[in-house]
Amino acid sequence: MTKIYMDNAAGTPMHPHVVEVMIPFLKEGFGNPSNLHQFGRITNDVIQEARGHVANLIHAKPNEIIFTSSGTEANNFALKGLLTSHKKKGNHIITSEIEHFSVLNPLKSLEKLGYVVTCLPVDKYGMVNPDDVKKAITPTTTMVSIMYANGEIGTIEPMKEIGAITKERGVLFHTDAVAAAGNIPVNVEEAHIDALSMSANQFYGPPGIGALYVREGVRILPFMEGGIQEGGRRAGTENIIGIVGMGKAAELAKLEMSQRVPKVQSLREQLKDGILKNIQHVYINGHPTNRLPGNLSLCLEYIEGESVLLFLDMQGIAISSGSACTSRSLKASHVIMATGVDAAIAQGTVLFSLGIDNSVDDVKYVLEKLPPIVERLRQMSPLYMKGK
Amino acid sequence: MQYSAKVMDHFANPRNVGEFPNADGVGEVGNPACGDIMKMSIKVENNVIVDVKFKTFGCGAAIATSSISTEMIKGKTLDEALKLTNKAVAEALDGLPPAKMHCSVLAEEAIEAAIDDYLKKTTGKGLEKKKAHAHDEHHGH
């Protein structure tokens, strides 16, 4: 059966070299890195090596990297850990409407504890206006948390501009870079980022491992308490196998970035052009140019995203949908809605997220299968009246 | 969340898709903002639904519930068709994921709306009392 994976935003397949370096540690990676004996020394050494690769990927120092269980944990840790450690300065945080739920939901909890959250709107491309950030800062603002890039619509946010503002105003800058890190060049120095969340399974590493970068000198309270792992900032015996895999994935991402970005972007453009040529009443979500290389988010008018997803799955093509019916909440994606798309049209959201394993043949196959599916569903739709 | 084989069958091969040029009754329910709209068209002879067609904008469950409910009311009297419950529709599909139960409610409502429309056209009076629907499972419109 055909297997075409275009759901890389939900999780990338592991790179074969990543799998290769992880396998020996299934057998030999049991030594607790906190121990001084030879078994502990082996695992401790590989963790430090992986930390170096992860740091290098985002232009940070190894001691600024804290391994976590996921991007979600990194976001929770950053928000709760930094806000509580800077409580004396104030209780105000600025974020955006298109953040991931692992930012929005912790902030809701923090609001109940007395923190004040300002949620900035975005323009029709999903872009935060740096001027809005500047205007929203008050004397009690401790932190700005704006995502690096949005995985659903692909838009890359103005990091350098926001970083310049937060630096000037003496406010912490956290970014959820889960969709960006490993896929586009990320530089915490250039953009004056104080904390950054990332996840390995967004750049061909294993699932279940992520990291939080915290700038040297910035105090953060531990989220997970216990032992002195990760410099006392994140307790719990390290996920050695995951860390080894993440390290390799980061090393490869850095090494191959200049080839991966144009390759994936060119495939995405071919898919986009083919869809726009062969299907009518299609809208592209997100920024036209300033976007993640593999992201193609579309609204297919008159039909609903989940039914497109199911029909494509029958043809062996895996994608995502942003419609109400695919989410348990029965609401269309908050990200698509924040860009001002009409609620009915938002139901027809589908997301193709391409990756380094996709080929020109994959794109051709999708372009062959998608138009008849859309036509069939439109013929079934009471909203679609051809020629009228 | 996974669909049963029966749901997937009715989704992939929906029965009775379309509409009639001269339908005796048409019912359209739902709201595009919530993700589904169902339109049921019926042909009635001697109080019996002799033919039925649907058009649906919606997810896999919405299309499957529309399809199976047309099969369940075809050849039935209006009274029998009005007795069809969303629960029976869901059961006939070997169950629906909890988040999709509202689709079966919509199918029940669409049938009722089509019959109501037919009665209004023929007798000048619609259904006297609309049924109480399982609106707790139905997201707000």
Side-chain angles (χ1 to χ4, degrees), chain A residues 127 140 218 274 297:
Chain A
M127 194 78 95
T140 60
V218 172
S297 171

Side-chain angles (χ1 to χ4, degrees), chain A residues 261-271 293 354 360 363:
Chain A
V261 171
K263 186 205 159 178
V264 175
Q265 191 159 301
S266 150
L267 290 172
R268 194 267 318 276
E269 287 299 301
Q270 288 172 47
L271 182 63
L354 285 72
V360 173
V363 171

Side-chain angles (χ1 to χ4, degrees), chain A residues 23-333:
Chain A
I23 288 173
F25 288 93
L26 290 170
K27 288 183 189 165
E28 296 148 26
F30 59 87
N32 194 317
S34 300
N35 287 339
L36 292 172
H37 50 57
Q38 55 174 318
F39 300 94
R41 278 201 302 275
I42 291 172
T43 48
N44 186 55
D45 286 353
V46 294
I47 287 175
Q48 296 325 323
E49 194 190 327
R51 201 185 303 283
H53 289 308
V54 172
N56 195 29
L57 179 65
I58 58 167
H59 296 262
K61 295 179 209 132
N63 65 346
E64 294 174 320
I65 301 296
I66 307 166
F67 287 109
T68 64
S69 66
S70 57
T72 289
E73 185 192 319
N75 280 338
N76 272 268
F77 182 12
L79 298 170
K80 295 175 181 171
L82 289 171
L83 282 175
T84 48
S85 65
H86 291 75
K87 218 175 176 176
K88 273 189 193 152
K89 199 200 163 208
N91 63 349
H92 180 227
I93 174 169
I94 298 163
T95 189
S96 86
E97 282 180 354
I98 61 162
E99 298 299 315
H100 189 258
F101 287 123
S102 59
V103 167
L104 295 178
N105 287 343
L107 288 181
K108 270 186 204 160
S109 300
L110 287 161
E111 265 183 326
K112 285 178 197 149
L113 296 174
Y115 289 89
V116 178
V117 180
T118 299
C119 209
L120 298 176
V122 292
D123 67 12
K124 64 175 174 173
Y125 300 127
M127 194 78 95
V128 172
N129 184 344
D131 274 347
D132 289 349
V133 176
K134 196 185 253 176
K135 283 178 205 149
I137 295 175
T138 70
T140 60
T141 307
T142 47
M143 178 154 70
V144 170
S145 178
I146 304 282
M147 69 195 338
Y148 207 107
N150 185 288
E152 269 186 71
I153 57 170
T155 302
I156 301 169
E157 300 298 336
M159 286 293 113
K160 279 185 213 164
E161 290 80 350
I162 297 170
I165 294 165
T166 52
K167 193 186 178 208
E168 192 204 320
R169 301 292 294 270
V171 172
L172 292 170
F173 181 22
H174 164 254
T175 184
D176 169 5
V178 167
N183 290 302
I184 52 170
V186 167
N187 189 326
V188 291
E189 279 310 315
E190 248 177 46
H192 306 294
I193 294 164
D194 297 304
L196 175 147
S197 308
M198 57 200 289
S199 172
N201 80 328
Q202 293 285 316
F203 55 94
Y204 314 99
I209 183 77
L212 179 68
Y213 148 84
V214 181
R215 180 179 291 278
E216 200 171 28
V218 172
R219 212 173 103 77
I220 185 164
L221 282 176
F223 178 59
M224 196 74 88
E225 291 176 287
I228 49 133
Q229 290 90 352
E230 300 295 287
R233 293 170 297 183
R234 203 275 189 183
T237 300
E238 297 83 345
N239 173 0
I240 295 147
I241 301 159
I243 290 171
V244 168
M246 185 171 189
K248 190 68 188 178
E251 185 190 359
L252 290 169
K254 180 92 180 181
L255 207 64
E256 296 176 3
M257 185 76 72
S258 58
Q259 290 101 59
R260 286 181 183 184
V261 171
K263 186 205 159 178
V264 175
Q265 191 159 301
S266 150
L267 290 172
R268 194 267 318 276
E269 287 299 301
Q270 288 172 47
L271 182 63
K272 183 183 89 182
D273 294 345
I275 289 174
L276 290 175
K277 202 176 137 204
N278 294 304
I279 304 175
Q280 296 203 307
H281 310 292
V282 177
Y283 307 95
I284 308 281
N285 295 312
H287 198 278
T289 51
N290 202 12
R291 64 189 298 140
L292 293 169
N295 179 290
L296 181 61
S297 171
L298 309 164
C299 285
L300 297 160
E301 206 177 350
Y302 309 116
I303 56 179
E304 194 272 343
E306 189 206 87
S307 47
V308 179
L309 179 157
L310 291 170
F311 272 132
L312 283 175
D313 185 45
M314 288 178 203
Q315 302 294 338
I317 303 162
I319 63 150
S320 266
S321 146
S323 71
C325 273
T326 321
S327 68
R328 277 164 207 277
S329 64
L330 296 173
K331 280 183 203 144
S333 152

Side-chain angles (χ1 to χ4, degrees), chain A residues 302 304 306 325 347 376 380, chain B residues 3 12 33 56-57 59-60 100:
Chain A
Y302 309 116
E304 194 272 343
E306 189 206 87
C325 273
Q347 299 294 349
R376 190 175 172 199
M380 223 187 276
Chain B
Y3 287 133
T56 291
F57 161 86
C59 61
K100 302 285 187 173

Side-chain angles (χ1 to χ4, degrees), chain B residues 92-103:
Chain B
L93 286 168
D94 295 336
L96 283 172
K100 302 285 187 173
M101 279 306 283
H102 72 277
C103 293

